[in-house]
C-alpha cells in the first residue's frame, strides 16, 4: 500500500457494438442492501444531460450532483441543498452523500456541512499503453501495430506448438506468465485459486460468453452500473447509438475489449483453449463502471465498490483513473470554486468507497498509470478536465494533487515491466506511489529474443469488438499481428496483444486471488481474508528488484527517468516483481 500514486493502465480501443442479456433485470442479492437509500420513488431517474462545460453547469441549467457531507452533516447538507433551490433525489448514508438536482451547485458547496460537490457525469478512463513513442496516455488501448507479414496463421494450423508440457495452446506467447511463475510446473501445480474466490473487474465490461472467459464468469453476481451516452454535451459522438433499451448494456458485454483482456489475464481457465490466467480457477465478476467510450462516472464507480463489498467480492482490479481531472487538487488557486469543489468531492467520495470496501474484506489493486512520470514530483497538468473534449487547460500542480484511485491509501498500485524486466518507459513511478511491479508489456524492449508485438501481453478479446474495429476480414481472419485467432473443434476464439499498466495490475490481482484461495476463511460470497494480510503476503513473496545502474535510466527514445530507493522498496518496482510461484507455496 502506498501513501500516494497516479494514473492507471492500458491504452484502449473504442468499439460500439452490442452484447447479450439484460443487466437491468438482474435479480437482487439476498441480504445485500440497496446501493442508494431512496428519498423519493423516482430517486434514480435518468440525469439531465451535462452542461457544455466539463466541470460546471451552464448558468441556470439544472443537473444531477453528488453532494458529500461531513460526518453527521446529512441534515445540514440537505437544508443547504434545499435553500439553494435544489431537490434531494436520493441519499447514500454509507458513503455520506446526497444526490441533488440543482442549478446552483456552488451555493451548496459553500456550506460548511458540505465537503465537495461533483457532477454525476462521465468522469474517467481506462488505463494503459502508448499511443506513439514518447507520447504516453492514460489507461487501455490495443496498440494494433503491424509488423511485416502481418497476419498470423490460424492457430489450428500450428498443431505442433500446442499443449507443450500440458500448457494451453497459446502459452508459448505468454512470456508474462513465465516471468511470474504462472506455469504448469510453477503455480498451476500448487494453487490455481478457487471458484469460492470472487474477483471483481471494475472496467469497461467483461465478455462473459468468450470461450476463454465463460467457464469462470459469474453471471449471477455481475452487474453493469453505467448507462451509455450516444453523444457528449457538445453533440460529438461519445458511445454512439444505443444497442439496448435505455442505453443499458447487459452485464456480460464488453463493447471495448479492455475489461475482457484484464479479466482474461486474471482468470482465463485451463480448458485446452487459448490462454490461461494467473488464477485459472477463480470466479470472475463483471462490475462495469466504464461506458463504451471508456469514460467512468463517479457514481457508478462508487456503486461498483459498494456492491463488491456487499456481495463478498474478495479482490477488485481497477485499471482506470477517475476523471475529468488527471490530478485532483483540493485547493488549487488556478481552478474555479466549482472545480475545486468537484475535485474535493472526487477525492472524498473515492476515499470513503475504498475504506468501505476494505472494511468488508475487499483487496483493492490498481494500475499506476502511463504518463511515464515521477508521481511524487508533479508540476503541470495539461489534460484536465478531459470531459467533454476541449475543456482541457494548463495549470500548475504539486504533490498535494492526487490521481484516484491509484494515490489513495488502501489501494495497491502496480507499475509495469517489459519482457527483459526493465520498467516500461510509459509506466509511472515514484518512491511513495509504486507498491509492486508486474508484466505490462513494452513493445520497445529489445532485451530479449522477442520481437515487436510479441513483447506485449496476450489475452482474450471480444470478437464483435474486433469486427467493429475492422481488424478481422470477412472470413474472420485477423488483418494484423496484434490479433490471434485460435480454433478448436470448429469453434474459434480471439485474443489481442495490449500493453500498459492496465495489463500489469491484473497479474497482481490474480496472485492476490491465489493467496485468498489458500488462506481465506469462509465468509460472505465464499471466502474472506483481511486485505492487509493479502497485501503483506503479496510483498513478502515478490522478487526484490533494485534500481538500474546507473539510477538515471535512459530509454531508446532519449527519455531519462530516475529510480530512487533501495531494492526492498524503490520507485520503479516497489517491493519487487510479483511472483505467483512463491505465493502458491509460501507459508503464513
Amino acid at each position: 500500500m502506498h501513501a500516494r500514486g497516479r494514473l492507471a493502465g492500458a491504452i484502449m480501443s473504442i468499439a460500439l457494438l452490442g452484447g447479450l442479456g439484460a443487466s437491468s433485470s438482474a435479480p437482487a442479492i439476498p441480504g445485500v442492501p440497496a446501493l442508494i437509500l431512496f428519498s423519493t420513488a423516482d430517486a434514480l431517474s435518468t440525469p439531465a444531460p451535462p452542461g457544455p462545460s466539463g466541470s460546471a453547469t451552464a448558468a441556470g441549467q439544472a443537473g444531477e450532483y453528488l453532494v458529500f457531507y461531513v460526518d453527521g452533516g446529512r441534515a445540514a447538507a440537505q437544508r443547504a441543498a434545499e435553500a439553494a433551490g435544489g431537490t434531494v433525489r436520493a441519499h447514500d448514508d454509507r458513503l455520506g452523500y446526497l444526490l441533488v438536482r440543482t442549478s446552483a451547485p456552488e451555493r451548496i458547496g459553500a456550506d460548511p456541512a458540505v465537503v465537495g460537490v461533483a457532477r454525476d457525469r462521465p468522469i474517467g478512463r481506462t488505463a494503459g499503453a502508448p499511443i506513439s513513442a514518447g507520447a504516453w496516455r492514460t489507461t487501455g488501448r490495443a496498440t494494433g501495430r503491424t509488423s511485416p507479414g502481418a497476419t498470423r496463421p490460424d492457430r489450428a494450423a500450428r498443431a505442433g506448438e500446442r499443449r507443450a508440457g500440458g500448457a494451453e495452446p497459446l502459452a508459448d506467447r505468454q512470456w508474462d506468465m513465465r516471468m511470474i511463475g504462472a506455469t504448469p510446473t510453477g503455480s498451476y501445480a500448487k494453487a490455481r485459486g478457487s471458484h469460492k474466490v470472487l474477483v471483481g473487474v471494475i472496467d469497461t465490461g467483461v465478455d462473459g460468453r468468450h470461450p476463454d472467459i465463460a467457464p469462470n464468469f459469474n453471471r449471477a453476481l455481475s452487474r453493469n452500473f453505467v448507462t451509455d451516452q450516444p453523444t457528449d454535451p457538445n453533440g460529438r459522438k461519445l458511445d454512439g447509438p444505443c444497442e439496448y433499451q435505455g442505453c443499458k448494456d447487459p452485464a456480460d458485454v464488453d463493447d471495448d475489449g479492455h475489461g475482457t483482456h484484464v479479466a482474461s489475464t486474471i482468470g482465463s481457465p485451463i480448458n485446452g483453449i487459448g490462454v490461461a490466467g494467473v488464477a485459472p480457477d477463480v470466479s470472475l465478476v463483471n462490475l462495469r463502471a466504464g461506458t463504451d467510450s471508456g469514460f467512468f462516472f463517479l457514481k457508478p464507480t462508487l456503486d461498483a465498490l459498494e456492491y463488491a463489498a456487499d456481495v463478498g467480492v474478495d479482490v477488485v482490479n481497477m485499471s482506470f483513473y477517475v476523471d475529468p481531472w488527471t490530478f485532483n487538487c483540493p485547493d488549487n488557486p488556478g481552478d474555479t470554486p466549482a472545480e475545486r469543489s468537484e475535485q474535493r468531492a472526487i477525492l472524498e467520495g473515492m476515499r470513503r468507497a475504498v475504506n468501505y470496501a476494505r472494511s468488508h474484506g475487499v483487496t483493492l489493486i490498481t494500475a499506476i498509470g502511463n504518463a511515464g512520470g515521477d508521481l511524487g514530483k508533479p508540476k503541470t497538468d495539461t489534460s484536465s478536465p478531459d470531459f467533454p473534449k476541449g475543456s482541457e487547460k494548463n495549470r500548475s500542480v504539486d504533490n498535494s494533487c492526487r490521481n484516484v484511485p491509484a494515490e489513495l491509501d488502501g489501494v495497491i498500485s502496480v507499475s509495469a515491466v517489459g519482457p527483459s524486466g526493465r520498467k516500461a518507459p510509459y509506466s509511472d513511478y515514484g518512491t511513495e506511489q509504486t507498491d509492486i511491479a508486474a508484466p505490462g508489456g513494452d513493445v520497445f524492449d529489445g532485451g530479449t529474443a522477442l520481437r515487436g508485438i510479441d513483447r506485449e501481453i496476450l489475452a482474450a478479446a471480444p470478437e464483435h469488438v474486433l469486427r467493429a474495429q475492422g481488424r478481422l476480414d470477412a472470413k474472420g481472419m485477423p488483418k494484423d499481428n496484434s490479433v490471434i485467432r485460435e480454433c478448436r473443434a470448429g469453434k474459434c476464439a480471439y485474443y489481442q496483444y495490449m500493453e500498459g499498466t492496465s495489463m500489469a495490475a491484473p497479474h497482481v490481482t490474480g496472485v492476490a486471488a491465489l493467496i485468498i484461495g489458500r488462506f481465506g476463511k469462509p465468509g460472505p460470497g465464499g471466502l474472506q481474508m483481511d486485505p492487509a494480510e493479502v497485501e503483506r503476503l503479496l510483498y513478502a513473496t515478490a522478487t526484490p528488484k533494485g534500481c538500474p545502474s546507473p539510477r538515471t535510466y535512459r530509454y531508446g527514445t532519449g527519455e531519462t527517468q530516475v529510480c530512487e530507493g533501495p531494492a526492498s522498496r524503490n520507485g520503479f518496482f516497489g517491493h519487487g516483481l510479483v511472483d505467483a510461484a512463491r505465493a502458491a507455496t509460501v507459508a503464513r
Side-chain angles (χ1 to χ4, degrees):
M1 187 187 308
H2 49 75
R4 303 183 47 75
R6 176 138 317 157
L7 295 176
I11 290 188
M12 343 173 1
S13 45
I14 296 174
L16 298 168
L17 288 186
L20 317 153
S23 62
S24 59
S25 61
I29 305 298
V32 176
L35 292 176
I36 292 294
L37 303 177
F38 297 99
S39 57
T40 64
D42 63 343
L44 290 186
S45 58
T46 303
S53 168
S55 53
T57 304
Q61 181 180 346
E64 302 279 346
Y65 289 84
L66 279 67
V67 177
F68 291 89
Y69 48 81
V70 298
D71 188 27
R74 175 182 154 190
Q78 183 164 339
R79 287 194 296 270
E82 292 170 346
T87 302
V88 177
R89 308 292 296 274
H91 59 87
D92 185 332
D93 290 340
R94 290 170 293 170
L95 300 190
Y97 70 87
L98 307 174
L99 183 63
V100 179
R101 185 164 182 80
T102 181
S103 58
E106 290 186 44
R107 286 182 58 191
I108 299 173
D111 191 279
V114 175
V115 178
V117 180
R119 184 85 190 237
D120 184 15
R121 56 172 169 73
I123 56 170
R125 274 197 187 146
T126 52
I131 291 176
S132 59
W136 311 102
R137 291 297 184 267
T138 54
T139 59
R141 179 176 301 159
T143 58
R145 292 187 176 88
T146 303
S147 303
T151 302
R152 295 196 185 277
D154 194 328
R155 290 292 292 193
R158 303 177 67 171
E161 295 182 3
R162 287 179 177 274
R163 312 301 300 279
E168 293 293 88
L170 297 179
D172 59 308
R173 301 193 181 280
Q174 292 185 280
W175 61 266
D176 53 317
M177 298 299 171
R178 293 191 293 275
M179 176 178 279
I180 68 171
T183 65
T185 57
S187 62
Y188 296 161
K190 301 293 184 179
R192 299 182 178 184
S194 163
H195 275 286
K196 292 182 180 180
V197 178
L198 302 179
V199 181
V201 180
I202 302 182
D203 215 290
T204 60
V206 176
D207 181 2
R209 298 196 179 186
H210 189 287
D212 230 358
I213 295 286
N216 287 344
F217 186 69
N218 190 317
R219 192 176 306 273
L221 290 181
S222 292
R223 294 290 185 272
N224 175 12
F225 297 97
V226 305
T227 300
D228 292 332
Q229 289 187 211
T231 60
D232 72 9
N234 296 322
R236 297 189 184 99
K237 181 178 179 181
L238 188 63
D239 297 322
C242 297
E243 305 97 345
Y244 296 89
Q245 185 175 6
C247 290
K248 189 84 169 180
D249 291 343
D252 60 355
V253 167
D254 178 9
D255 281 342
D256 179 89
H258 185 273
T260 298
H261 196 283
V262 166
S264 176
T265 297
I266 296 168
S268 275
I270 296 176
N271 59 352
I273 301 172
V275 301
V278 178
D281 287 354
V282 298
S283 292
L284 299 169
V285 182
N286 177 25
L287 304 174
R288 180 177 168 182
T291 62
D292 287 349
S293 54
F295 283 93
F296 288 70
F297 293 82
L298 175 60
K299 186 176 180 305
T301 304
L302 302 179
D303 289 348
L305 286 168
E306 283 186 289
Y307 176 81
D310 292 337
V311 300
V313 167
D314 296 292
V315 57
V316 161
N317 190 92
M318 300 182 289
S319 288
F320 64 88
Y321 73 91
V322 177
D323 285 294
W325 305 94
T326 300
F327 296 92
N328 291 277
C329 307
D331 195 23
N332 192 323
D335 297 330
T336 67
E339 289 171 338
R340 292 197 292 270
S341 181
E342 177 178 63
Q343 291 168 79
R344 288 195 294 268
I346 292 169
L347 286 165
E348 186 62 24
M350 287 297 292
R351 282 192 191 108
R352 293 177 183 183
V354 163
N355 290 338
Y356 182 82
R358 278 181 60 88
S359 71
H360 286 70
V362 184
T363 298
L364 301 167
I365 295 169
T366 189
I368 195 172
N370 298 333
D374 184 339
L375 304 183
K377 303 172 183 178
K379 295 181 179 179
T380 59
D381 178 10
T382 61
S383 60
S384 303
D386 65 2
F387 183 88
K389 185 178 180 181
S391 301
E392 302 86 352
K393 63 179 182 178
N394 294 324
R395 61 181 187 144
S396 296
V397 295
D398 58 28
N399 210 30
S400 69
C401 305
R402 301 189 179 195
N403 177 274
V404 295
E407 290 199 80
L408 297 179
D409 291 342
V411 178
I412 298 168
S413 288
V414 185
S415 66
V417 302
S420 73
R422 75 173 191 179
K423 187 191 78 66
Y426 59 77
S427 179
D428 285 332
Y429 59 99
T431 55
E432 296 175 316
Q433 294 79 14
T434 307
D435 292 315
I436 196 167
D442 179 0
V443 74
F444 301 117
D445 185 356
T448 69
L450 294 173
R451 302 176 65 86
I453 203 78
D454 292 335
R455 297 166 180 165
E456 297 189 334
I457 307 299
L458 184 68
E463 179 180 353
H464 76 279
V465 171
L466 300 176
R467 290 189 180 278
Q469 295 170 348
R471 299 171 70 183
L472 305 179
D473 65 20
K475 295 182 179 179
M477 294 296 293
K479 291 182 179 180
D480 66 63
N481 66 344
S482 68
V483 176
I484 290 180
R485 185 175 80 161
E486 205 273 326
C487 297
R488 182 177 177 82
K491 187 174 184 178
C492 296
Y494 291 87
Y495 304 81
Q496 64 178 326
Y497 283 99
M498 300 175 76
E499 68 174 17
T501 53
S502 278
M503 283 58 258
H507 291 85
V508 178
T509 301
V511 174
L514 296 182
I515 291 170
I516 296 166
R518 293 188 62 210
F519 302 116
K521 302 298 183 183
L527 295 176
Q528 192 169 44
M529 187 171 175
D530 182 358
E533 180 67 0
V534 177
E535 183 176 7
R536 184 189 72 79
L537 289 172
L538 276 173
Y539 300 159
T541 57
T543 301
K545 191 171 176 62
C547 288
S549 182
R551 287 175 176 263
T552 298
Y553 191 86
R554 182 177 297 276
Y555 293 93
T557 59
E559 178 183 6
T560 60
Q561 298 176 7
V562 180
C563 181
E564 298 177 298
S568 59
R569 174 72 190 273
N570 61 73
F572 274 19
F573 309 108
H575 291 86
L577 184 70
V578 72
D579 193 321
R582 292 183 67 186
T585 57
V586 68
R588 288 182 75 177

